[in-house]
Each structure stands twice: as C-alpha cells, then as structure tokens.
Amino acid sequence: MEANGSSKKIDDVGETERDAATRNQFAAEKHAVIYKKHRPKADPKAIERILNFAKEKKSTRFTLAVDIACGSGQGTEDLAQHFDKVIGIDISSAQINEANRTNKAANVEYKVGDAENIPVKDNSVDLVTCSQAVHWFDFDTFLREVDRILTPNGVLAVYSRGDYVLLHDDQQVEKELTTIYKECTWKTLKNYWNDPVHATRQKGYVDLNIPYPDFNRTRMQSKMDMTLTELSGFISSFTAYQRFRKENPDEDIFTPLYARFLRALKVNTEPDKTIVTAGCPLYLLMGRKPDEEEIKRFHFVWEENK
C-alpha cells in the first residue's frame, strides 16, 4: 500500500529525499505568510463528519488531537473547542512560525515535526487529522506512526479537496470561468507541479486505505465564495506557482486573468469586488483503531493489513 515509492536516505540524520523536497517547497517565510492568508480553512462539514465519527465510541471529552502537516494552522484551531489540547505538526519551520504568530487558541500548540516520525507519546491521541498533505508522505510509515500514537478507538482522518470548478447559474458562463481557471493552474503552471505526488490527490486518494476494520471513505462537495483577488491569492499559495514565480519573477499572470474573468462574467467591477463561487469534491478517509475486544473479534494484526 505504498503511496509515493521508496524513502531513500540522503544524510546521516535520517532525512529522506521526500522530507527534504517537502520541507523545501514550504520553507520560504514569504510563502508561509501567503499560505496563511490565502489557503481556505478546513470545510466545516468535514470537521463535523470527523468529530461525529470519533464520538461514536467515545463517551468522554476528547483529550488530545494532533493535526499532521498542519501548515500555518488552516484546520488545526477548528479542533480546539472539542479537545483539551491540540498539537499542530509540520515539517516546515516557516509554516510553524507563522502558525504560532497568528495562533489565538490557548490550548493549541505548534511544533516542527515529521509525519513519519511524529513527536508524540505512544497511545496518547484521540484523533489524528491530515489535510491536503498525505500525498507527500511515505504512507505506510505514516500509518505505523499514527497507530503508535492513537489510543484504542482513536481515529485517523485524512482529507483533501480535489480540483476546483467555478460555479455559475449560467452553464455556459460556468464552463468559460472553469476553463480560464484551469488554463491558468494546469496549463500556465503545467511544468511546475510534482506530477506523481499530485496525481494521488487528484484521484481522490483512491489508492490509499487505512487498514483498520472500521474504515470509512466519503466523497463530499465543498464550495466557497471568494473575490477574484482572493482567488489569485489562492493560486499564489500553490507550490507550482511559487516555482513558476521563482523562474519568472517579472511575469504577471493575474492581470490578464482578471480581464478574462471579467469578460466572461460581463461585468466591469474591480477584482477585489467581483465574487465567484468555487466548488470542488472533498475526499475524506477515516479509520478507527481497534480496542482489545475488536482485535480479538476481527483477528486483527497490523502486519497482515499492510
């Protein structure tokens, strides 16, 4: 069930090529600020679904949640009101610095750490979440680490938004808006994506499974309103755009993009006052670690479920 191939060592401290590549893509302080400002927060429907699943076999208040690859905290603080403590972990110190700078929840802690070597005690966590990131991991190693830190009946929830379309009441306008958006993100930026990694996300994690007997795979719909300025900010948070920008520092892709959107919408408003609705599928995988009775009942052995 390997998601991203082998994990080749590249130095004496045990860092892998994947670790280095992932950290480097999110290492810049400026990128962390952009990421915090423009990345959408977790979809409330997904958080509600995750919490309801976790509560099914939990009668007392949740103690600890861990949000892996938390970035600058887009989904971490949404868990704060439901847990005594929440820990956000990310491999990028720049992202963690930005999360700490903007953190408003007293029971949320952010720390630098690796999804494949999670800095949390064994059997201590009620919920592990991971949004928009598991495609960067050695998935088997990540699963073993999650199994180590989860309590019996603890839950792992992995979720990600898929590709966006721009919605409109007029189907022809919707088609044109979506074409403009995709030409920007998948044509202009085509050579700047990490294709094998993003293919896993684009397919909705269909090749990934959480090997617990109580496993749930859900596809939901997510949508949000945003101005054209906010949409361009969202695009600017992509790692592909950051690579593009590094190679083409003087190229402005957003001014002509605004003009095309305004023509399609048949309006002449300013980009920061022009609202569009973005929609996408949201893929959610949830698995519950068995307790001792379930292990006996299902003859569950981790090694047999790799």
Side-chain angles (χ1 to χ4, degrees):
M1 195 173 59
E2 293 184 1
N4 294 308
S6 63
S7 192
K8 183 181 177 184
K9 302 294 183 184
I10 61 172
D11 63 27
D12 291 337
V13 298
E15 183 175 60
T16 65
E17 289 178 347
R18 183 183 297 101
D19 293 336
T22 303
R23 187 187 61 252
N24 289 341
Q25 290 188 86
F26 299 96
E29 295 288 346
K30 287 184 179 179
H31 189 194
V33 173
I34 292 169
Y35 206 89
K36 180 66 176 182
K37 182 177 180 180
H38 294 295
R39 279 291 169 122
K41 293 180 69 63
D43 190 301
K45 293 181 297 184
I47 296 297
E48 182 181 12
R49 185 75 62 93
I50 291 166
L51 291 170
N52 287 339
F53 183 77
K55 288 174 183 176
E56 288 177 9
K57 294 191 177 181
K58 181 75 173 178
S59 58
T60 59
R61 179 175 169 81
F62 295 119
T63 302
L64 177 61
V66 173
D67 187 25
I68 299 293
C70 64
S72 44
Q74 281 69 21
T76 315
E77 291 169 37
D78 291 338
L79 300 172
Q81 63 180 306
H82 305 284
F83 291 82
D84 292 339
K85 184 176 182 179
V86 181
I87 301 175
I89 295 173
D90 199 279
I91 200 169
S92 165
S93 59
Q95 293 284 349
I96 292 299
N97 289 341
E98 185 64 17
N100 279 320
R101 186 183 70 81
T102 57
N103 182 20
K104 295 180 175 62
N107 63 332
V108 173
E109 174 189 358
Y110 291 102
K111 61 171 70 175
V112 175
D114 185 348
E116 297 162 25
N117 187 20
I118 302 170
V120 177
K121 293 179 180 179
D122 296 0
N123 301 308
S124 63
V125 181
D126 296 310
L127 174 67
V128 174
T129 58
C130 181
S131 173
Q132 300 285 133
V134 76
H135 44 280
W136 292 106
F137 306 161
D138 179 322
F139 194 58
D140 290 335
T141 304
F142 169 65
L143 287 175
R144 289 180 178 280
E145 275 294 275
V146 170
D147 187 67
R148 175 183 65 79
I149 67 174
L150 280 179
T151 60
N153 289 324
V155 167
L156 167 63
V158 169
Y159 59 105
S160 178
R161 290 180 170 99
D163 283 345
Y164 284 83
V165 298
L166 297 184
L167 306 173
H168 197 276
D169 291 338
D170 185 319
Q171 289 189 346
Q172 185 58 40
V173 174
E174 179 174 307
K175 182 179 179 181
E176 190 171 353
L177 292 174
T178 298
T179 297
I180 295 167
Y181 172 76
K182 293 195 177 226
E183 284 181 359
C184 174
T185 55
W186 295 110
K187 186 176 179 181
T188 303
L189 302 181
K190 178 181 178 180
N191 296 327
Y192 300 91
W193 291 104
N194 184 323
D195 289 340
V197 170
H198 283 278
T200 301
R201 181 187 62 81
Q202 284 179 277
K203 291 188 297 182
Y205 295 157
V206 294
D207 298 328
L208 304 183
N209 292 287
I210 299 172
Y212 289 144
D214 194 355
F215 170 58
N216 181 286
R217 185 189 297 274
T218 303
R219 186 182 190 273
M220 308 167 65
Q221 287 299 125
S222 178
K223 67 178 183 177
M224 68 198 82
D225 292 336
M226 61 180 77
T227 66
L228 290 179
T229 305
E230 289 168 336
L231 178 62
S232 67
F234 174 57
I235 294 170
S236 73
S237 75
F238 295 172
T239 54
Y241 177 78
Q242 293 298 313
R243 293 194 198 100
F244 170 87
R245 185 72 174 169
K246 187 174 182 179
E247 290 189 12
N248 306 276
D250 299 322
E251 185 167 349
D252 172 18
I253 67 171
F254 294 126
T255 298
L257 188 68
Y258 292 150
R260 292 186 67 191
F261 278 134
L262 294 173
R263 283 197 300 271
L265 290 165
K266 298 180 175 61
V267 298
N268 59 4
T269 49
E270 292 298 316
D272 63 349
K273 292 181 172 57
T274 307
I275 305 292
V276 292
T277 300
C280 66
L282 191 151
Y283 307 103
L284 172 61
L285 281 61
M286 297 183 292
R288 192 188 326 275
K289 181 177 178 177
D291 60 23
E292 291 184 8
E293 290 301 315
E294 287 177 312
I295 290 173
K296 293 175 185 176
R297 188 185 322 141
F298 289 104
H299 304 288
F300 176 83
V301 179
W302 180 266
E303 292 292 334
E304 293 176 358
N305 289 274
K306 283 173 49 177

